[in-house]
Amino acid sequence: MMTGKRLFKRRLKQHIQFYMQIRRVAVDWAVWIYVLIPLLLTGLYQYITLWNMEAGWATYLNEPALALIITIFIFSGISISFLQSADILYLWQKQDVMGTLHRYRLGYYYTISLVKWLIVIGILAPIFMVYLNWTGSMLCALGLIVYFLQVLVGILRRRFKIQLGKWVSRFLIIGLVVVVYILMRYSLAHMATTGWVLALVTIVMTAYYSTYFIRQKQNFYREIDLDTEHKNKLLQLVLMQSAYIGGPEYLSEKISNLRKHPWLFRKSQKMFKAYTPEIGYREVFIKSLLRSKNWLLLYVQIVGFGVFGIVMFPFWLKWFMWIGMIFLIGNFLKTYWNKIWSHQFLDLVKWREVEPQKVSRHTFRIAIIPASLVLSAVLGYIILSYWGILFLPMIGLAIAFGVVEFFTKRIS
């Protein structure tokens, strides 16, 4: 007979197998050699310098910055229902099995959150204890507050998405982010006096709502939709990383959303006065990139990661991060160009022959300018203050155009 415990074990096994398959697809030997191992070695070096109080960049991590980092971590967790469509009829008839499954599901979320927080608190420990002169008791109180707050926020976010409309849940989650950030600012500033009181309040609130959550009736279909949406987004991210061309970017979007008019260029106005086949391809590339939420978000994420690395990494690594991110943006544009160039729409009619390298060269230059200016301005300000903002972006544009030449020569 199927029990809640056996059902949870079966679903957990499938859940782990899914993530193992994702790992095998996303992380091959090249990723280990060129990305993960250098990042791990760099992180280990920086961690040692933190304990030795030799990391100059740690001075940027004041209480507001740490509160922001911890808030981002608190909202990074997600609860899994471990439900499938085939379970619905059986679980409706077996409420005791459903209750057991919810308890194990919640216990799993508690465990995963604890493991993640132990890793994060271990990374942040030298900053609090060496640079901010915190005691072990204060760090333990902070650990309890953040751990139970992450569990509580994860449960609340899922309940918002299940029980409320899309925009209502989004506004509530934004409000929750503001509340959590203010709470973390207050906690970090008054940890010595009120840390354990806040920890006790957080524990009581999380325990109460966890009990309340177990007793609530579940919306089966919405629970399954949320799990499917989360998996699709993860698959889409992996496929985009692997330069996969095709339909996955539509998996997480609803048909009703796809039929709506785009926010940008709603009437498909011309971007350029002249209109030649070359300019037509350029306009298609730029418009489709700006209209694609997923690809545009990836573009912004690459730039954001580059800005973070330039700010946080030591002096000699800032330059590598700066050039590396510009090079990565160039590769991103080449990947998206291949997607556009091979789209079925272009095969519907016979277009005038154009030189792909020439068209892509001008298009890439336009698309790479924003990323190059942002990364160069941040690096210039850190190194030379306001004078760097004036001069380094020009050097960055020269490097960016060189990167464009490198990738356009590989387009056929």
mmCIF file of all heavy atoms in Angstrom, residues 115-141:
data_model
loop_
_atom_site.group_PDB
_atom_site.id
_atom_site.type_symbol
_atom_site.label_atom_id
_atom_site.label_comp_id
_atom_site.label_asym_id
_atom_site.label_seq_id
_atom_site.Cartn_x
_atom_site.Cartn_y
_atom_site.Cartn_z
ATOM 1 N N VAL A 115 21.127 23.377 5.043
ATOM 2 C CA VAL A 115 22.408 23.106 4.381
ATOM 3 C C VAL A 115 22.890 24.344 3.631
ATOM 4 O O VAL A 115 24.066 24.741 3.720
ATOM 5 C CB VAL A 115 22.264 21.905 3.421
ATOM 6 C CG1 VAL A 115 23.533 21.729 2.593
ATOM 7 C CG2 VAL A 115 21.963 20.632 4.204
ATOM 8 N N LYS A 116 21.984 24.986 2.896
ATOM 9 C CA LYS A 116 22.356 26.185 2.151
ATOM 10 C C LYS A 116 22.808 27.303 3.082
ATOM 11 O O LYS A 116 23.808 27.985 2.815
ATOM 12 C CB LYS A 116 21.174 26.660 1.309
ATOM 13 C CG LYS A 116 20.844 25.757 0.136
ATOM 14 C CD LYS A 116 19.486 26.089 -0.458
ATOM 15 C CE LYS A 116 19.383 27.527 -0.878
ATOM 16 N NZ LYS A 116 18.054 27.832 -1.485
ATOM 17 N N TRP A 117 22.103 27.487 4.196
ATOM 18 C CA TRP A 117 22.453 28.566 5.096
ATOM 19 C C TRP A 117 23.765 28.294 5.826
ATOM 20 O O TRP A 117 24.547 29.212 6.074
ATOM 21 C CB TRP A 117 21.332 28.821 6.095
ATOM 22 C CG TRP A 117 21.691 29.851 7.126
ATOM 23 C CD1 TRP A 117 21.659 29.728 8.470
ATOM 24 C CD2 TRP A 117 22.158 31.195 6.867
ATOM 25 N NE1 TRP A 117 22.063 30.883 9.070
ATOM 26 C CE2 TRP A 117 22.382 31.806 8.113
ATOM 27 C CE3 TRP A 117 22.418 31.910 5.711
ATOM 28 C CZ2 TRP A 117 22.841 33.107 8.227
ATOM 29 C CZ3 TRP A 117 22.885 33.208 5.833
ATOM 30 C CH2 TRP A 117 23.085 33.784 7.068
ATOM 31 N N LEU A 118 24.061 27.029 6.151
ATOM 32 C CA LEU A 118 25.347 26.714 6.783
ATOM 33 C C LEU A 118 26.501 27.070 5.847
ATOM 34 O O LEU A 118 27.548 27.554 6.298
ATOM 35 C CB LEU A 118 25.394 25.235 7.154
ATOM 36 C CG LEU A 118 24.518 24.809 8.342
ATOM 37 C CD1 LEU A 118 24.593 23.299 8.547
ATOM 38 C CD2 LEU A 118 24.940 25.536 9.622
ATOM 39 N N ILE A 119 26.312 26.826 4.555
ATOM 40 C CA ILE A 119 27.358 27.188 3.588
ATOM 41 C C ILE A 119 27.522 28.704 3.531
ATOM 42 O O ILE A 119 28.643 29.233 3.567
ATOM 43 C CB ILE A 119 27.008 26.623 2.199
ATOM 44 C CG1 ILE A 119 27.008 25.092 2.240
ATOM 45 C CG2 ILE A 119 27.983 27.141 1.147
ATOM 46 C CD1 ILE A 119 26.529 24.448 0.950
ATOM 47 N N VAL A 120 26.397 29.422 3.460
ATOM 48 C CA VAL A 120 26.464 30.882 3.350
ATOM 49 C C VAL A 120 27.022 31.506 4.622
ATOM 50 O O VAL A 120 27.864 32.415 4.570
ATOM 51 C CB VAL A 120 25.060 31.452 3.031
ATOM 52 C CG1 VAL A 120 25.070 32.972 3.074
ATOM 53 C CG2 VAL A 120 24.604 30.984 1.665
ATOM 54 N N ILE A 121 26.577 31.037 5.785
ATOM 55 C CA ILE A 121 27.064 31.622 7.041
ATOM 56 C C ILE A 121 28.543 31.320 7.231
ATOM 57 O O ILE A 121 29.289 32.110 7.815
ATOM 58 C CB ILE A 121 26.234 31.113 8.238
ATOM 59 C CG1 ILE A 121 26.453 32.006 9.455
ATOM 60 C CG2 ILE A 121 26.590 29.678 8.576
ATOM 61 C CD1 ILE A 121 25.912 33.398 9.319
ATOM 62 N N GLY A 122 28.991 30.155 6.701
ATOM 63 C CA GLY A 122 30.416 29.855 6.756
ATOM 64 C C GLY A 122 31.234 30.800 5.896
ATOM 65 O O GLY A 122 32.343 31.195 6.252
ATOM 66 N N ILE A 123 30.666 31.200 4.741
ATOM 67 C CA ILE A 123 31.356 32.135 3.856
ATOM 68 C C ILE A 123 31.388 33.536 4.461
ATOM 69 O O ILE A 123 32.403 34.247 4.383
ATOM 70 C CB ILE A 123 30.678 32.150 2.476
ATOM 71 C CG1 ILE A 123 30.834 30.781 1.807
ATOM 72 C CG2 ILE A 123 31.261 33.248 1.588
ATOM 73 C CD1 ILE A 123 30.071 30.648 0.504
ATOM 74 N N LEU A 124 30.277 33.946 5.087
ATOM 75 C CA LEU A 124 30.187 35.296 5.635
ATOM 76 C C LEU A 124 30.809 35.426 7.026
ATOM 77 O O LEU A 124 30.987 36.555 7.507
ATOM 78 C CB LEU A 124 28.717 35.732 5.709
ATOM 79 C CG LEU A 124 27.965 35.848 4.376
ATOM 80 C CD1 LEU A 124 26.524 36.268 4.627
ATOM 81 C CD2 LEU A 124 28.653 36.831 3.444
ATOM 82 N N ALA A 125 31.138 34.306 7.667
ATOM 83 C CA ALA A 125 31.650 34.351 9.042
ATOM 84 C C ALA A 125 32.870 35.254 9.214
ATOM 85 O O ALA A 125 32.918 36.057 10.158
ATOM 86 C CB ALA A 125 31.949 32.934 9.523
ATOM 87 N N PRO A 126 33.899 35.172 8.343
ATOM 88 C CA PRO A 126 35.056 36.059 8.554
ATOM 89 C C PRO A 126 34.717 37.538 8.438
ATOM 90 O O PRO A 126 35.338 38.370 9.101
ATOM 91 C CB PRO A 126 36.034 35.621 7.451
ATOM 92 C CG PRO A 126 35.206 34.927 6.435
ATOM 93 C CD PRO A 126 34.106 34.264 7.207
ATOM 94 N N ILE A 127 33.742 37.893 7.602
ATOM 95 C CA ILE A 127 33.361 39.299 7.476
ATOM 96 C C ILE A 127 32.766 39.809 8.780
ATOM 97 O O ILE A 127 33.104 40.895 9.268
ATOM 98 C CB ILE A 127 32.364 39.482 6.314
ATOM 99 C CG1 ILE A 127 33.019 39.086 4.990
ATOM 100 C CG2 ILE A 127 31.863 40.923 6.249
ATOM 101 C CD1 ILE A 127 32.087 39.110 3.809
ATOM 102 N N PHE A 128 31.872 39.012 9.380
ATOM 103 C CA PHE A 128 31.237 39.435 10.628
ATOM 104 C C PHE A 128 32.215 39.398 11.803
ATOM 105 O O PHE A 128 32.247 40.330 12.612
ATOM 106 C CB PHE A 128 30.031 38.535 10.932
ATOM 107 C CG PHE A 128 28.839 38.809 10.078
ATOM 108 C CD1 PHE A 128 28.471 37.934 9.064
ATOM 109 C CD2 PHE A 128 28.081 39.953 10.270
ATOM 110 C CE1 PHE A 128 27.370 38.192 8.271
ATOM 111 C CE2 PHE A 128 26.968 40.219 9.483
ATOM 112 C CZ PHE A 128 26.622 39.336 8.481
ATOM 113 N N MET A 129 33.016 38.345 11.888
ATOM 114 C CA MET A 129 33.847 38.146 13.073
ATOM 115 C C MET A 129 35.171 38.897 13.011
ATOM 116 O O MET A 129 35.711 39.306 14.048
ATOM 117 C CB MET A 129 34.087 36.649 13.293
ATOM 118 C CG MET A 129 32.797 35.846 13.447
ATOM 119 S SD MET A 129 33.054 34.121 13.914
ATOM 120 C CE MET A 129 33.578 34.314 15.612
ATOM 121 N N VAL A 130 35.720 39.086 11.801
ATOM 122 C CA VAL A 130 37.026 39.737 11.670
ATOM 123 C C VAL A 130 36.873 41.227 11.399
ATOM 124 O O VAL A 130 37.530 42.058 12.037
ATOM 125 C CB VAL A 130 37.854 39.051 10.558
ATOM 126 C CG1 VAL A 130 39.180 39.782 10.357
ATOM 127 C CG2 VAL A 130 38.093 37.590 10.904
ATOM 128 N N TYR A 131 35.990 41.575 10.464
ATOM 129 C CA TYR A 131 35.868 42.971 10.050
ATOM 130 C C TYR A 131 34.864 43.751 10.900
ATOM 131 O O TYR A 131 35.044 44.943 11.121
ATOM 132 C CB TYR A 131 35.473 43.053 8.578
ATOM 133 C CG TYR A 131 36.594 42.679 7.636
ATOM 134 C CD1 TYR A 131 36.816 41.343 7.303
ATOM 135 C CD2 TYR A 131 37.445 43.633 7.102
ATOM 136 C CE1 TYR A 131 37.843 40.978 6.441
ATOM 137 C CE2 TYR A 131 38.474 43.287 6.242
ATOM 138 C CZ TYR A 131 38.664 41.958 5.924
ATOM 139 O OH TYR A 131 39.689 41.604 5.083
ATOM 140 N N LEU A 132 33.786 43.091 11.343
ATOM 141 C CA LEU A 132 32.767 43.773 12.142
ATOM 142 C C LEU A 132 32.870 43.460 13.623
ATOM 143 O O LEU A 132 32.073 43.976 14.414
ATOM 144 C CB LEU A 132 31.370 43.409 11.625
ATOM 145 C CG LEU A 132 31.073 43.769 10.164
ATOM 146 C CD1 LEU A 132 29.652 43.370 9.796
ATOM 147 C CD2 LEU A 132 31.279 45.259 9.928
ATOM 148 N N ASN A 133 33.806 42.590 13.998
ATOM 149 C CA ASN A 133 34.072 42.257 15.414
ATOM 150 C C ASN A 133 32.839 41.690 16.127
ATOM 151 O O ASN A 133 32.548 42.019 17.274
ATOM 152 C CB ASN A 133 34.587 43.501 16.169
ATOM 153 C CG ASN A 133 35.909 43.988 15.626
ATOM 154 O OD1 ASN A 133 36.798 43.189 15.322
ATOM 155 N ND2 ASN A 133 36.057 45.300 15.484
ATOM 156 N N TRP A 134 32.113 40.833 15.448
ATOM 157 C CA TRP A 134 30.971 40.169 16.080
ATOM 158 C C TRP A 134 31.461 39.030 16.958
ATOM 159 O O TRP A 134 32.518 38.444 16.718
ATOM 160 C CB TRP A 134 30.032 39.617 15.016
ATOM 161 C CG TRP A 134 29.084 40.628 14.458
ATOM 162 C CD1 TRP A 134 29.302 41.965 14.287
ATOM 163 C CD2 TRP A 134 27.753 40.372 13.990
ATOM 164 N NE1 TRP A 134 28.208 42.557 13.738
ATOM 165 C CE2 TRP A 134 27.235 41.616 13.537
ATOM 166 C CE3 TRP A 134 26.963 39.245 13.894
ATOM 167 C CZ2 TRP A 134 25.955 41.728 13.010
ATOM 168 C CZ3 TRP A 134 25.688 39.352 13.368
ATOM 169 C CH2 TRP A 134 25.192 40.588 12.939
ATOM 170 N N THR A 135 30.660 38.689 17.941
ATOM 171 C CA THR A 135 30.943 37.525 18.785
ATOM 172 C C THR A 135 30.259 36.296 18.194
ATOM 173 O O THR A 135 29.382 36.395 17.326
ATOM 174 C CB THR A 135 30.436 37.752 20.215
ATOM 175 O OG1 THR A 135 29.004 37.903 20.184
ATOM 176 C CG2 THR A 135 31.066 39.006 20.812
ATOM 177 N N GLY A 136 30.661 35.130 18.690
ATOM 178 C CA GLY A 136 30.030 33.905 18.225
ATOM 179 C C GLY A 136 28.550 33.856 18.547
ATOM 180 O O GLY A 136 27.744 33.324 17.774
ATOM 181 N N SER A 137 28.160 34.409 19.711
ATOM 182 C CA SER A 137 26.754 34.431 20.091
ATOM 183 C C SER A 137 25.927 35.272 19.120
ATOM 184 O O SER A 137 24.811 34.871 18.724
ATOM 185 C CB SER A 137 26.603 34.984 21.507
ATOM 186 O OG SER A 137 25.252 35.120 21.873
ATOM 187 N N MET A 138 26.447 36.419 18.715
ATOM 188 C CA MET A 138 25.729 37.273 17.765
ATOM 189 C C MET A 138 25.581 36.572 16.420
ATOM 190 O O MET A 138 24.521 36.648 15.771
ATOM 191 C CB MET A 138 26.469 38.604 17.602
ATOM 192 C CG MET A 138 26.494 39.455 18.858
ATOM 193 S SD MET A 138 27.649 40.859 18.732
ATOM 194 C CE MET A 138 26.934 41.775 17.371
ATOM 195 N N LEU A 139 26.629 35.864 15.971
ATOM 196 C CA LEU A 139 26.563 35.166 14.694
ATOM 197 C C LEU A 139 25.555 34.021 14.746
ATOM 198 O O LEU A 139 24.828 33.779 13.773
ATOM 199 C CB LEU A 139 27.954 34.639 14.323
ATOM 200 C CG LEU A 139 28.124 34.123 12.885
ATOM 201 C CD1 LEU A 139 27.867 35.247 11.895
ATOM 202 C CD2 LEU A 139 29.519 33.546 12.680
ATOM 203 N N CYS A 140 25.475 33.321 15.876
ATOM 204 C CA CYS A 140 24.486 32.245 16.023
ATOM 205 C C CYS A 140 23.065 32.801 15.994
ATOM 206 O O CYS A 140 22.167 32.205 15.370
ATOM 207 C CB CYS A 140 24.730 31.481 17.323
ATOM 208 S SG CYS A 140 26.223 30.467 17.323
ATOM 209 N N ALA A 141 22.850 33.931 16.660
ATOM 210 C CA ALA A 141 21.523 34.546 16.643
ATOM 211 C C ALA A 141 21.134 34.956 15.224
ATOM 212 O O ALA A 141 19.994 34.736 14.784
ATOM 213 C CB ALA A 141 21.490 35.757 17.577
#
